[in-house]
Amino acid sequence: MDKDLINDLASILPEGSITAVEEELVCYGSDATRVFARPDVVVRPTDADSIPEVMIVAARHGMPVVPRGAGTGLSGGCVPIKGGIVVSTERLNRIKEIDTIDLVAVVEPGVVTQDIHEAAEAEGLFYPPDPASFKACTIGGNVAENAGGLRGLKYGVTRDYVLSLKVALPGGGVMVAGGRTLKNVTGYDMARLFVGSEGTLGFILEAALKLIPKPETKAAFLTAYDTLEHASEAVVSIVRSGVTPSTLEIMDRVTLDAVEAYRNTGNEVRHGALLLVEVDGSDVEVRRQADALDAVLGRTAPAELRRATDLAEQAALWAARRSALSALARVSPSVILEDATVPRKQIPAMVRAIEGIAKKYDLKIGTFGHAGDGNLHPTIITDLRIADNRKRVEAAVSDIFDAALALGGTLSGEHGIGLAKSSFMERELGRSGVAVMRAVKDAIDPRGLMNPGKMFL
Amino acid sequence: MSKELEKLADLVYKCIRCGACRSVCPTFGEELSETVVARGRMALVEAVIDGRLDMGEAFENTIFGCAMCGACKANCPAGVDVPKVIEEARAVLAKEKGSQSLARYLARRSLKDKKAMDGAFAMMALGRAFYAPLAATPLAKFLPYQYKDMKRNLPKMPKRPLPKRVPEHSTVDNAKGRVVFYAGCVVNYVYPEIGETAVHVLNAAGYDVRIIRDELCCGKPLSSLGEMDAYRKLAEQVVAQLEVSEADAVLTACPTCALTLKEDYPKILPDSKGAAALSDKVEDVNRFLTKNTDILKGIEPIASTVTYHDPCHLNFGMGIKAEPREILKAATGGLVEMAGAEKCCGFGGSFSFLNYALSGRIASKKSGAAIATGADIVATACPGCMMHMRDGLKQAGGKQEVLHTLQIIEKALKK
């Protein structure tokens, strides 16, 4: 271990915030992808102002800096694949401000997303982005990965709520990207550049987030169909009808069986696929939308159509949906979760393509996801410890990407490129697309110290 | 690498590293470090199995630094039995590294039989009386465990344990049935008044109650220190002692005892018919009273308001949340929920003795939430939680009384 590096870090950080104990290194080397790489040192600052100094020390030692939030990511974004300093934000967890007039929340990067939800709601406000891991994941990671969630269709994703970011740059500079006002056209839209940059450009020290008034109420429906394809066609009908659900989720039979086995609600799964649809807004609006939705759903010829009668029942439906990934994980030793996304009118075609790929490679794929915004999560359940499985999985994943791109979609809707998808970047962006990104990277981080080995880097 | 740990591979590999446990783990909530949350602990055990990590001091600390509340298991979407992994890892550490040898020695010796238990608890009472004043002096650093830390308010131990306060059989006329009350060590030796109350309330509900005069410890302190052989031996004795064929139910006022007897015994004694029969009959007293009796019809609510702390082994372990609340709503002037009622109070049995500073910080947060409700009484359904909440509240300047749900029923019983 580099004693000089530790000493230099110790000179700028308080005691107890630096560690190179092997046990700590083991714990800070992976995320929810389970890919592991050992960092050289882990720091857990308690003061965001010390991070630019960490950047200076890192530059002096030529050490990579890998930002890490709660480590709940699904693309290996915080895995220190080239070693270096993992800078964990978990102790930077202060909500600095909830402004009820500007409708802004100012937060440190380590604030848990749910805490932002609760702080906003206490003031009658609403922070919509809700990645499935919202109880554990933190806002710095949400911004860096441009996290989505269940409410994307109506409310958009993290990007749509970032007003400004305070960022520590490689080498120790600090910049503020964007501003506190809704309107702001001074120069390039730098805040958007940092959103989804996966920690490859700078370290987010603080974010100002847009809040909106909290919807008064909501109504939820559950409809069942015989096949996933039938359900995906219903999605198109709903969107075409003019109703904009706040969430529109799909789950196939494989997922439903897994969820039922996990949650044990006693509801036997009888159908091939399920849609969960929710509308929100004012009382009047919800009543009108719910009636319209009821009619549309009726016309999609569902095998079953049910309206959740109370909030507790609605919450139970969403809890079931949120547990989909983990429930699938119980079924077999390995899960490979993809999030290829297509324009929503292509959802039926994408569903067919996934089913074809599952058959072609003889793999079990559970498909669930945010059907309303075209973001599906085909999840391969297998055992990667068997070499032959690994080969078939790799081929299937490549085919899934090709299918999504052929339908005008993207490699990743919300999880990020990270480690697993980097070799596919050029397929979507083309050579010049990647070249421009590389030029941006070189301009901001010429020595390539920020989160190396991720995306196209 | 440890061969013994290898048998945990399948359990540990189930962890998908989703991090859901971060939102519920009490030690993580305080320390904000990945090494003290279930996911980190699973990653460490896996690293040892894979030969990437030796079982060093930091490993030992994180494995013994778990409160075993089970919040992670109850909230784990992937279904990882974290407490089981921790317990087994402790057993391996005990065997291969001699970890916690003093605590294990004391637990083994003290819980061996009834006589040893009587002696040990008498010693503890003496110890408390003798050491507590010393703890204020510079000599404190030579004292073992919690005595190092003067701040901890341990209960004054009564002179007469439960069997010397109530008869073996407490019967009623026209009994509806017969139950065994398994008191557990904390009720027996520290809060025998809860045992007396249990007998009284169960009699009032129309049941004959039997206590076991020479009742043995359920063994949980041994299993949580990794003393598995001694634990198994004790479990066999407890099964033999609790001859249950005549009883409608075996009731406890201690969720940890209930969970151990009900869930754990059949696992560690898979061939024992007695353990299976016992498991079937063991029930938490709150559930029994609300489900099987009309006791709540015979009460008049007291004026005081109350807030409720969910004991981890009752809530996370057995899913019992509603029943104690049903009792409190019926028996008091109102139930005011505290924020985070389901969060661990920090007791965790041996956890609080081995890690008092951390356990005290968890208690301090819990106490703050209880005080903020403004309720007159803090109720819970576990004698261990009571001990820790009383300490925590006292340190936080709270004036509330901490009572067991049974004690509240007794207060509300129509005279």
Side-chain angles (χ1 to χ4, degrees):
Chain A
M1 182 60 248
D2 191 341
K3 278 263 157 52
D4 288 348
L5 174 67
I6 302 267
N7 288 339
D8 285 359
L9 288 169
S11 70
I12 55 170
L13 292 167
E15 214 187 305
S17 46
I18 311 158
T19 173
V21 175
E22 199 56 40
E23 279 79 354
E24 304 261 5
L25 303 182
V26 164
C27 287
Y28 283 86
S30 70
D31 65 1
T33 58
R34 263 186 158 276
V35 176
F36 174 77
R38 184 178 174 278
D40 289 290
V41 56
V42 175
V43 301
R44 288 183 291 249
T46 48
D47 178 3
D49 290 340
S50 62
I51 290 174
E53 294 183 71
V54 172
M55 300 290 240
I56 294 171
V57 170
R60 193 185 309 142
H61 291 267
M63 268 286 173
V65 173
V66 182
R68 177 188 170 93
T72 56
L74 293 163
S75 59
C78 65
V79 177
I81 201 78
K82 312 254 159 142
I85 309 168
V86 163
V87 182
S88 173
T89 62
E90 53 212 346
R91 293 176 184 174
L92 301 169
N93 57 0
R94 282 162 288 258
I95 296 179
K96 295 173 129 181
E97 202 185 335
I98 300 280
D99 188 318
T100 56
I101 294 171
D102 289 349
L103 301 187
V104 169
V106 179
V107 297
E108 291 189 325
V111 176
V112 174
T113 309
Q114 183 176 36
D115 293 343
I116 302 178
H117 291 160
E118 285 172 1
E121 280 164 33
E123 300 289 343
L125 298 171
F126 187 36
Y127 176 72
D130 64 336
S133 58
F134 73 96
K135 286 183 181 173
C137 65
T138 50
I139 191 66
N142 288 178
V143 172
E145 300 290 336
N146 191 6
L150 274 64
R151 301 182 183 128
L153 165 65
K154 178 171 178 182
Y155 290 105
V157 296
T158 305
R159 173 208 292 137
D160 302 301
Y161 295 87
V162 174
L163 290 171
S164 82
L165 296 172
K166 188 170 161 193
V167 181
L169 298 166
V174 174
M175 76 171 287
V176 174
R180 197 184 168 99
T181 54
L182 278 176
K183 293 181 173 176
N184 179 328
V185 295
T186 308
Y188 295 142
D189 190 346
M190 297 301 279
R192 285 217 169 192
L193 178 61
F194 285 100
V195 175
S197 63
E198 301 190 7
T200 62
L201 297 178
F203 196 106
I204 297 160
L205 303 176
E206 188 180 293
L209 306 167
K210 181 173 83 170
L211 302 175
I212 60 175
K214 187 172 159 30
E216 271 171 35
T217 184
K218 48 194 172 186
F221 292 84
L222 179 150
T223 55
Y225 299 89
D226 295 332
T227 64
L228 185 62
E229 200 179 341
H230 190 171
S232 65
E233 279 155 6
V235 170
V236 177
S237 307
I238 294 165
V239 177
R240 192 185 284 138
S241 75
V243 177
T244 304
S246 48
T247 41
L248 175 38
E249 296 290 307
I250 197 166
M251 287 193 273
D252 72 353
R253 177 65 186 259
V254 176
T255 310
L256 289 169
D257 280 336
V259 168
E260 180 50 34
Y262 162 42
R263 299 186 68 87
N264 221 346
T265 57
N267 290 323
E268 196 196 332
V269 181
R270 292 183 303 271
H271 305 293
L274 217 64
L275 289 184
L276 295 176
V277 196
E278 188 177 270
V279 288
D280 68 1
S282 68
D283 257 346
V284 181
E285 209 181 326
V286 166
R287 221 171 301 136
R288 189 186 57 76
Q289 289 198 78
D291 288 346
L293 197 54
D294 208 359
V296 181
L297 289 171
R299 283 197 297 276
T300 59
E304 195 183 324
L305 167 59
R306 194 151 60 84
R307 183 173 174 167
T309 46
D310 58 41
L311 287 174
E313 194 181 350
Q314 290 184 24
L317 289 177
W318 301 128
R321 158 60 189 89
R322 285 180 201 283
S323 66
L325 169 61
S326 321
L328 283 167
R330 288 186 167 209
V331 181
S332 70
S334 320
V335 286
I336 298 90
L337 169 71
E338 288 307 333
D339 81 323
T341 301
V342 294
R344 57 187 166 227
K345 65 168 181 280
Q346 301 288 11
I347 287 260
M350 188 63 193
V351 162
R352 278 193 294 274
I354 292 166
E355 282 175 348
I357 291 164
K359 230 174 250 156
K360 180 175 167 192
Y361 294 103
D362 189 23
L363 287 167
K364 196 166 186 188
I365 301 187
T367 296
F368 62 95
H370 322 300
D373 54 28
N375 184 194
L376 290 178
H377 293 312
T379 302
I380 306 173
I381 37 189
T382 181
D383 188 346
L384 285 181
R385 290 174 294 190
I386 299 164
D388 177 59
N389 288 349
R390 191 176 283 275
K391 262 190 223 145
R392 282 183 293 128
V393 166
E394 279 166 11
V397 166
S398 174
D399 278 13
I400 290 173
F401 290 151
D402 282 339
L405 294 178
L407 294 168
T410 178
L411 298 174
S412 175
E414 58 182 3
H415 296 164
I417 298 300
L419 290 167
K421 288 175 276 238
S422 46
S423 59
F424 300 94
M425 287 277 278
E426 225 173 78
R427 281 196 210 173
E428 179 170 340
L429 300 170
R431 268 203 207 154
S432 39
V434 172
V436 171
M437 286 193 186
R438 197 178 296 279
V440 171
K441 167 75 178 177
D442 288 345
I444 297 175
D445 181 21
R447 293 177 64 194
L449 294 180
M450 285 308 296
N451 204 8
K454 305 296 164 61
M455 288 215 267
F456 52 90
L457 304 163
Chain B
M1 196 237 300
S2 156
K3 276 258 172 293
E4 283 285 304
L5 267 189
E6 238 172 284
K7 62 181 189 227
L8 296 177
D10 283 343
L11 281 179
V12 169
Y13 201 76
K14 274 172 86 177
C15 169
I16 58 165
R17 306 283 190 268
C18 69
C21 45
R22 285 171 66 107
S23 64
V24 295
C25 172
T27 56
F28 178 78
E30 284 305 313
E31 305 277 51
L32 294 176
S33 166
E34 191 72 42
T35 49
V36 294
V37 68
R39 176 174 69 171
R41 293 184 171 113
M42 296 305 97
L44 289 172
V45 173
E46 188 176 311
V48 173
I49 293 171
D50 290 351
R52 288 182 283 124
L53 184 72
D54 293 327
M55 294 193 290
E57 197 190 331
F59 179 77
E60 220 174 306
N61 288 341
T62 183
I63 295 300
F64 277 96
C66 165
M68 301 288 256
C69 68
C72 48
K73 181 186 173 190
N75 286 281
C76 179
V80 182
D81 190 349
V82 179
K84 174 90 192 150
V85 174
I86 299 285
E87 193 178 283
E88 294 285 341
R90 286 177 181 179
V92 171
L93 279 166
K95 214 182 254 174
E96 296 186 10
K97 308 264 299 179
S99 304
Q100 303 294 352
S101 52
L102 175 60
R104 284 190 290 112
Y105 172 77
L106 291 174
R108 218 166 43 226
R109 284 298 299 266
S110 322
L111 302 178
K112 200 173 54 170
D113 53 39
K114 182 67 182 167
K115 218 173 126 201
M117 282 172 64
D118 284 345
F121 281 96
M123 280 300 286
M124 270 167 80
L126 206 66
R128 184 196 171 277
F130 180 69
Y131 280 121
L134 271 186
T137 72
L139 291 173
K141 64 176 175 222
F142 300 109
L143 301 178
Y145 302 124
Q146 81 277 6
Y147 299 119
K148 276 183 197 152
D149 201 323
M150 175 54 190
K151 278 193 312 191
R152 186 166 197 178
N153 303 285
L154 284 168
K156 201 168 165 202
M157 311 240 298
K159 287 208 178 71
R160 289 182 307 139
L162 185 65
K164 298 209 168 129
R165 292 171 178 239
V166 296
E168 188 174 359
H169 293 276
S170 303
T171 54
V172 287
D173 296 337
N174 305 318
K176 289 178 194 148
R178 290 191 260 188
V179 296
V180 172
F181 179 70
Y182 180 83
C185 302
V186 182
V187 168
N188 250 333
Y189 292 102
V190 185
Y191 297 134
E193 65 273 19
I194 297 175
E196 291 174 285
T197 301
V199 171
H200 182 193
V201 168
L202 286 163
N203 278 168
Y207 283 82
D208 287 345
V209 185
R210 176 161 71 98
I211 63 153
I212 311 295
R213 298 219 71 88
D214 48 358
E215 182 190 290
L216 291 169
C217 169
C218 71
K220 184 69 187 174
L222 291 169
S223 67
S224 56
L225 284 167
E227 276 292 303
M228 298 312 278
D229 292 340
Y231 170 45
R232 210 166 283 119
K233 220 177 280 169
L234 192 55
E236 278 167 359
Q237 287 173 267
V238 172
V239 170
Q241 193 173 51
L242 285 170
E243 219 296 291
V244 295
S245 54
E246 300 283 295
D248 298 328
V250 175
L251 303 178
T252 83
C254 170
T256 305
C257 296
L259 188 64
T260 305
L261 266 50
K262 199 168 182 63
E263 307 280 337
D264 214 29
Y265 278 15
K267 285 183 202 150
I268 57 153
L269 304 172
D271 302 325
S272 160
K273 280 197 185 116
L278 173 60
S279 170
D280 283 344
K281 294 222 168 151
V282 169
E283 185 64 282
D284 165 66
V285 70
N286 295 282
R287 179 167 274 177
F288 181 83
L289 284 170
T290 50
K291 255 178 49 183
N292 299 47
T293 79
D294 293 330
I295 189 86
L296 296 184
K297 287 186 187 144
I299 57 178
E300 230 159 66
I302 56 170
S304 313
T305 57
V306 65
T307 187
Y308 177 69
H309 158 67
D310 284 292
C312 296
H313 293 162
L314 194 62
N315 174 26
F316 300 128
M318 293 184 284
I320 298 180
K321 277 182 89 114
E323 291 88 341
R325 287 178 168 80
E326 196 183 326
I327 290 172
L328 295 174
K329 280 179 194 159
T332 69
L335 169 65
V336 194
E337 291 284 353
M338 67 174 94
E342 76 294 348
K343 287 190 175 151
C344 178
C345 67
F347 179 63
S350 56
F351 170 77
S352 68
F353 289 90
L354 301 177
N355 311 276
Y356 181 67
L358 173 57
S359 137
R361 272 189 286 143
I362 298 171
S364 149
K365 245 184 216 161
K366 189 86 208 188
S367 306
I371 293 170
T373 61
D376 305 319
I377 299 172
V378 179
T380 187
C382 163
C385 297
M386 283 175 65
M387 191 193 296
H388 209 56
M389 293 288 292
R390 282 179 177 171
D391 173 33
L393 274 171
K394 193 163 178 193
Q395 292 191 41
K399 301 270 179 284
Q400 291 145 309
E401 203 180 359
V402 181
L403 294 175
H404 197 284
T405 41
L406 283 171
Q407 293 173 302
I408 292 179
I409 297 181
E410 188 178 46
K411 275 175 184 272
L413 279 179
K414 281 181 192 154
K415 298 288 163 335

